Amino acid sequence: QLQLRESGPRLVKPSETLSLTCNVSGGSVSSNYYWGWIRQPPGKGLEWIGSIYYSGSTYYNPSLKSRVTISVDTSENLFSLKMKSATAADTALYYCARMGAEYTRYTWFASWGQGTLVTVSS
Amino acid sequence: EIVLTQSPGTLSLSPGERATLSCRASQSVRSTYLAWYQQRPGQAPRLLIHDVSSRATGTPDRFSGSGSGTDFTLTISRLEPEDFAEYYCQQYGDSPLTFGQGTKLESK
């Protein structure tokens, strides 16, 4: 059974880089699916951050594109998120997910990690 | 960017009743590229329905989806206690992928 687990620092200082990793088990990040990051500020709705294919092909939400980098490590079976110049507005639950249909980035989010709360504060 | 507006914001019903949740798009959603998720408190979202009306594995058949263009509906035929949660729609026909702001289904 596919499992995703987010990990990384829970507290980030303003202006620093937020870094998270999604470890994938029970499946391969090299499969024919895109993998994505979504966030949810406390008490608010969901926002797609970006997605990546095992080949390294990425696409991002334009609202975050200038600050975000998503990468994949097929040897470690994980993918990662880096968001630079963090502010309090980036405080959120961050989820990683496997997308639903093969070969396409235009698809739903089929399997989700449990999420990790990242707080941006000095 | 396609903005999805869900209504009502909060829906108060009793177990056994029928729930109808709406998701309206600011422009037509390409093909059938709309999904619904359920999120219980303290949990990650869970996929219920994709491609407007296809139930995900494990989704009970009391959940159904319908709609096209700009208007979509999630219907729960008879509410069970575990159905009281937050529900989100998501379109994946255009980038950026976007979600609605959610409908909270609460027990009356």
Side-chain angles (χ1 to χ4, degrees):
Chain A
Q1 182 182 356
L2 183 69
Q3 292 190 329
L4 300 96
R5 188 178 78 250
E6 304 89 350
S7 61
R10 304 294 180 92
L11 181 64
V12 176
K13 288 183 169 53
S15 80
E16 295 190 345
T17 297
L18 183 159
S19 297
L20 293 172
T21 295
C22 182
N23 287 275
V24 178
S25 60
S28 174
V29 74
S30 300
S31 59
N32 298 319
Y33 295 94
Y34 276 80
W35 303 82
W37 288 98
I38 306 101
R39 70 179 182 179
Q40 183 174 35
K44 296 189 177 180
L46 300 161
E47 180 181 35
W48 169 68
I49 300 169
S51 299
I52 191 164
Y53 198 58
Y54 74 89
S55 63
S57 175
T58 53
Y59 71 119
Y60 302 117
N61 190 322
S63 67
L64 299 168
K65 185 176 182 178
S66 64
R67 299 195 293 127
V68 168
T69 302
I70 297 175
S71 58
V72 62
D73 186 334
T74 55
S75 64
E76 295 291 331
N77 211 34
L78 57 82
F79 60 106
S80 302
L81 168 70
K82 290 189 186 301
M83 183 178 294
K84 63 184 181 182
S85 306
T87 72
D90 296 317
T91 293
L93 260 172
Y94 285 77
Y95 295 101
C96 60
R98 197 209 77 187
M99 301 183 79
E102 291 181 288
Y103 306 112
T104 177
R105 60 185 191 177
Y106 294 105
T107 181
W108 59 94
F109 298 97
S111 300
W112 297 63
Q114 278 304 298
T116 188
L117 178 62
V118 178
T119 302
V120 180
S121 175
S122 55
Chain B
E1 171 176 327
I2 295 179
V3 176
L4 299 178
T5 301
Q6 292 186 239
S7 61
T10 301
L11 183 58
S12 298
L13 294 170
S14 299
E17 289 192 296
R18 180 185 186 90
T20 303
L21 287 67
S22 174
C23 176
R24 179 162 289 178
S26 60
Q27 56 188 279
S28 186
V29 174
R30 184 163 64 102
S31 188
T32 57
Y33 293 171
L34 189 109
W36 290 93
Y37 301 86
Q38 177 192 68
Q39 187 176 34
R40 297 180 176 132
Q43 295 186 15
R46 166 198 165 202
L47 176 71
L48 290 176
I49 285 174
H50 62 87
D51 293 340
V52 174
S53 60
S54 297
R55 280 187 289 273
T57 303
T59 299
D61 60 8
R62 63 179 180 274
F63 290 88
S64 63
S66 62
S68 65
T70 60
D71 290 297
F72 300 89
T73 301
L74 175 69
T75 302
I76 310 171
S77 58
R78 288 180 57 86
L79 286 165
E80 298 287 341
E82 62 267 28
D83 298 337
F84 294 98
E86 191 91 20
Y87 291 84
Y88 294 93
C89 57
Q90 178 229 338
Q91 68 81 25
Y92 43 94
D94 284 288
S95 187
L97 310 182
T98 51
F99 294 87
Q101 84 283 11
T103 288
K104 182 178 181 179
L105 178 55
E106 64 178 25
S107 181
K108 188 185 291 185

